[in-house]
Amino acid sequence: MKKWTILLLLTVLLLGAAGQQKSLDSTQQQVAAEKPPIAMALTFDDGPSAKYTPQLLDGLRDRGVRATFFLVGEQVGEQAPLVRRMAREGHQIGNHSYSHHLLEECSDGEALQELQSCDLALRSVLGPGEYWVRPPYGSLSDTVRETWHTPVVCWSVDPKDWECRNTEQVVRHIMDHVEDGGIILLHDCYDTSVAAALQAIDQLQAQGVEFMTVEELLARKGAEAVPGKVYRKIK
């Protein structure tokens, strides 16, 4: 009799433990489902490149990804069809100065002229709009920054793709620095960078990471786009 009583008690305890575990698993799944996915912004500087940007745009289109392109003004006119394609496919287009000078080494007047000339080049191709700024090398004087009429976008993830020109190294750096609200800096004028961007997208999308433009990421976070403010990561 005692034997059957003990067996009955053990069965009840095991069933209770299983029920508790099931309830815990269900709660964890619900929390995971309610937690928003990691969202990041892919950004590309120094374009457009007649040779490599079309390959990148094809890859982004096939993967359903929108990115942000900071364009050099003196290249915009000669690549006008490519710039229009960027806009047509939903990418955000920004101002990377007219001739890619280090603006902090210029006078404030010269730096403002660099930004204004690029803005005019973009408007001549795309029409009126707000083309957010990324200064070359991320460097801009406080006076120019506070004078300018758009946000200033820098970055939180820099694989130095322009320096290493190594696809695997760039992908590894991106994968090691995944963070919600992160802004990834790349350049669409190198084949290794284009390949790395698409490989990183494939790997991170498989993990549930979402990619969007900087403006979309800002809206996702409920943050305000403040003229003159520097954004390195969207919190």
Side-chain angles (χ1 to χ4, degrees), residues 42-49 53 56 68-72 75 94-96 100 133-138 153-155 161 184-190:
L42 272 169
T43 67
F44 297 91
D45 287 7
D46 296 1
S49 161
T53 304
L56 176 60
T68 303
F69 290 85
F70 292 97
L71 306 184
V72 176
Q75 297 168 190
N95 179 332
H96 199 44
H100 205 271
V133 161
R134 171 173 285 164
Y137 314 102
V153 182
C154 287
W155 54 85
D161 60 315
I184 303 168
L185 168 63
L186 292 169
H187 299 76
D188 54 320
C189 46
Y190 307 115

Side-chain angles (χ1 to χ4, degrees), residues 130 132 144-152 218 224-231:
E130 190 176 75
W132 296 8
V144 175
R145 178 179 56 77
E146 292 166 1
T147 302
W148 196 248
H149 57 274
T150 74
V152 177
L218 205 66
E224 183 182 359
V226 180
K229 181 175 179 178
V230 178
Y231 294 88

